[in-house]
Amino acid sequence: MDEERRLAKNKLISLSKKETLLRHENMVTKTYEVKIQENKLRKRQREDVERIFLEAKWYKNYILNWMNESKNNKLSKFNTKITQITKKDKDMNDVAVEIKRLPAQSRQCLISRMVANLRTMATLRKRGLQKHGKLKFSKEETAIDYKQIGNSHKIINKKRIRLQGIKGDLLVNGLEQFYNIPGVEVANARLLHRATGYFVQFVCFLPKQELQDSSGEEKKIVGVDFGCQTAFTLSTGEKISASVPESERLKKLQRDFSRKQKGSKNRERAGLKVRKEYQKITNRKNDMANKIVHNLTKNSIVVIQDEQLKAWQSGNHSKAVQYGVLGRVKAKLKLHNNVVILPKNYPTTKLCTNCGKWHDNLKLWNRTFKCKCGVEEDRDIHAAQNMVWLYEHIYVGAEHTKLKRVEMESLVKGVLKRWRPNSVGEARSCHP
């Protein structure tokens, strides 16, 4: 009977999982972040939160030490039910401790992250990007995963949540971002420890229509060209500069940090000030990116190109990418329903849509686009307007994402023949 019940239970779990996956296929995934009100934490709760991150560090270091003892000790063979472990004190002596606050599911997630890190390093070694490497012992852990809604974590109301391992309800700010959205499904959660406090990230699944604009206005098409000199150039001619460089305060704090003695309390306090200043800069970047995305998608269909920003950062534009918000804006635009992403092989900069010529000799430092047919305009505006033209005349979805150069040229020439003016020598705008 027990075996039959177990099999029946496993079957129900499997069916429920399949139904959930099918339902989530037609939904949009989004992550929301809320902040725990530290001034409202009771003494016991504060101790529980601090203890959880401490136990996560002990647990990870214990696993790494266990793996180093023998080649037969594989990460996949580690028993996650173990709660009695040893840690090193300041004199490097073994001290027995008990895992009391860190939940079992969080311990399993910690091991899963370690497995993912090992696979990533193995992949890098196969590609020749990394010669060797292994997991290192942690000085601190900053993330605790909670997998199961209703069990490991729970939302009580729009101001309170509950996390396994922490006694009582936690007061938080920010749940109103998604609490009242009809049809929202909350999945995983992650407790974060940052320099500016404790945060909880919630992974939510939203119905697609919730992200659509319901203003009823006719949407215009706007092309957006990403760049390093000017962050965003619109097809309307508008240019948006978005950059948050390192502050003078951050530079001073970094100098102070470098002068402190390693291992001292003063160095630890100086490092905390540096992390807080970095967090402030990150918050400013996020706020800037949110405002740009909102203004672009408010009443427009946005056309962008799949720019390879990682290649820009590894080249001569590392500072521009580091201080800018290009990656943040691109990631947020990808989640929006009113955004069209053209493949990276589309000729947005070097194509003249007046005569159909490709300007392959156009260099990066040539900031003005010139063609013998009479077209002369700003390079970035020209690229943004080309995005709109390619979207309206060429782009039809996935079937044109892998076109070769010859196929793209024939398509462009075919479109130009249908609306080319009778007077061949007449100069006109590149974008009708």
Side-chain angles (χ1 to χ4, degrees):
M1 290 293 293
D2 291 340
E3 184 67 17
E4 291 179 359
R5 289 178 182 175
R6 186 182 67 83
L7 293 174
K9 182 179 178 181
N10 290 344
K11 187 175 181 180
L12 287 174
I13 292 173
S14 178
L15 290 173
S16 176
K17 186 176 180 180
K18 288 180 180 178
E19 290 175 0
T20 303
L21 291 174
L22 288 173
R23 188 171 64 254
H24 287 173
E25 284 181 358
N26 297 321
M27 304 179 80
V28 177
T29 309
K30 198 168 182 182
T31 302
Y32 294 95
E33 194 171 283
V34 302
K35 185 174 183 179
I36 296 176
Q37 297 184 25
E38 289 189 69
N39 60 336
K40 301 294 184 180
L41 289 176
R42 298 192 295 272
K43 182 179 179 181
R44 171 66 185 274
Q45 289 180 321
R46 189 180 295 276
E47 291 175 353
D48 288 346
V49 174
E50 293 174 355
R51 176 78 180 191
I52 280 181
F53 287 103
L54 198 58
E55 289 183 358
K57 182 188 75 169
W58 293 343
Y59 199 73
K60 180 179 179 180
N61 291 341
Y62 174 77
I63 295 172
L64 292 175
N65 190 45
W66 174 81
M67 291 172 61
N68 292 334
E69 288 177 355
S70 173
K71 292 183 178 180
N72 295 326
N73 291 346
K74 302 295 183 183
L75 194 56
S76 57
K77 298 179 181 179
F78 185 80
N79 184 10
T80 57
K81 295 182 180 180
I82 294 176
T83 57
Q84 298 288 341
I85 63 172
T86 58
K87 74 175 187 72
K88 300 287 185 181
D89 62 8
K90 62 180 181 179
D91 298 323
M92 298 304 293
N93 298 321
D94 288 339
V95 179
V97 292
E98 184 179 359
I99 302 298
K100 297 179 180 179
R101 297 287 179 267
L102 189 64
Q105 281 192 346
S106 299
R107 298 199 296 268
Q108 293 171 0
C109 291
L110 181 62
I111 293 176
S112 298
R113 288 210 308 267
M114 294 171 68
V115 171
N117 292 337
L118 289 172
R119 287 176 178 169
T120 301
M121 286 190 289
T123 304
L124 292 174
R125 284 194 294 270
K126 286 181 181 178
R127 294 179 180 177
L129 301 176
Q130 182 173 319
K131 293 183 179 180
H132 53 78
K134 61 179 182 178
L135 295 178
K136 297 181 180 180
F137 291 96
S138 294
K139 292 184 178 179
E140 64 175 350
E141 280 294 307
T142 58
I144 308 295
D145 292 309
Y146 293 88
K147 289 179 62 177
Q148 195 172 5
I149 180 70
N151 185 11
S152 61
H153 63 284
K154 186 177 181 180
I155 298 177
I156 307 301
N157 52 44
K158 61 181 179 180
K159 281 291 183 181
R160 297 176 182 270
I161 65 171
R162 191 172 295 166
L163 297 176
Q164 190 176 2
I166 303 173
K167 189 174 182 178
D169 298 345
L170 301 174
L171 282 170
V172 296
N173 292 330
L175 282 174
E176 61 275 4
Q177 297 175 89
F178 62 93
Y179 185 77
N180 293 321
I181 297 179
V184 64
E185 292 187 24
V186 182
N188 303 340
R190 174 175 283 188
L191 177 63
L192 302 175
H193 184 201
R194 292 178 179 163
T196 52
Y198 296 103
F199 297 81
V200 182
Q201 283 183 345
F202 289 98
V203 178
C204 300
F205 290 89
L206 310 176
K208 286 188 177 180
Q209 59 268 21
E210 293 296 336
L211 296 179
Q212 293 176 351
D213 182 73
S214 56
S215 61
E217 300 180 11
E218 184 179 354
K219 296 185 182 296
K220 58 183 180 180
I221 302 174
V222 176
V224 181
D225 179 61
F226 288 40
C228 292
Q229 289 188 353
T230 303
F232 308 99
T233 303
L234 277 58
S235 56
T236 57
E238 181 184 356
K239 295 194 174 188
I240 303 172
S241 296
S243 178
V244 184
E246 293 182 351
S247 62
E248 292 299 323
R249 173 176 168 78
L250 177 60
K251 294 176 183 178
K252 180 181 180 301
L253 291 173
Q254 287 175 330
R255 288 195 299 268
D256 293 343
F257 175 75
S258 65
R259 292 167 184 162
K260 305 297 182 184
Q261 184 179 356
K262 291 185 178 180
S264 65
K265 287 291 184 181
N266 285 336
R267 187 180 175 88
E268 185 179 335
R269 286 191 285 268
L272 180 61
K273 291 180 181 179
V274 171
R275 291 199 297 272
K276 282 185 178 179
E277 191 63 24
Y278 268 119
Q279 188 63 50
K280 289 180 182 178
I281 292 174
T282 300
N283 293 341
R284 288 178 60 192
K285 287 181 178 179
N286 290 335
D287 178 64
M288 189 179 292
N290 288 333
K291 289 177 179 177
I292 290 172
V293 171
H294 173 73
N295 292 331
L296 287 176
T297 58
K298 187 165 49 178
N299 293 311
S300 306
I301 295 175
V302 181
V303 184
I304 64 174
Q305 193 169 21
D306 190 13
E307 304 284 2
Q308 303 302 299
L309 300 180
K310 187 175 181 180
W312 293 9
Q313 190 169 13
S314 60
N316 297 326
H317 305 286
S318 56
K319 291 291 184 182
V321 178
Q322 178 186 348
Y323 296 153
V325 294
L326 297 173
R328 286 173 170 81
V329 171
K330 181 183 175 183
K332 292 177 184 296
L333 287 175
K334 279 185 173 181
L335 298 176
H336 208 281
N337 287 345
N338 298 329
V339 175
V340 178
I341 303 176
L342 298 179
K344 61 183 179 181
N345 62 335
Y346 271 40
T348 55
T349 303
K350 298 183 178 181
L351 173 65
C352 177
T353 53
N354 183 41
C355 60
K357 182 181 178 182
W358 256 259
H359 291 258
D360 293 321
N361 58 347
L362 187 68
K363 303 299 181 183
L364 189 61
W365 53 84
N366 299 136
R367 305 315 302 171
T368 302
F369 180 87
K370 295 181 181 180
C371 185
K372 292 181 179 179
C373 66
V375 174
E376 182 176 347
E377 58 189 348
D378 182 273
R379 173 199 180 105
D380 296 333
I381 297 175
H382 170 79
Q385 291 176 345
N386 270 359
M387 290 179 191
V388 178
W389 189 90
L390 289 167
Y391 166 66
E392 291 178 335
H393 297 89
I394 304 294
Y395 181 79
V396 292
E399 58 186 85
H400 281 167
T401 57
K402 294 182 180 180
L403 289 176
K404 295 181 180 179
R405 169 70 175 264
V406 178
E407 296 171 328
M408 179 65 74
E409 286 181 354
S410 62
L411 276 174
V412 171
K413 289 178 180 178
V415 172
L416 291 174
K417 283 181 180 178
R418 292 197 291 269
W419 51 269
R420 186 182 294 277
N422 296 327
S423 177
V424 179
E426 180 183 355
R428 59 181 178 78
S429 173
C430 187
H431 306 277

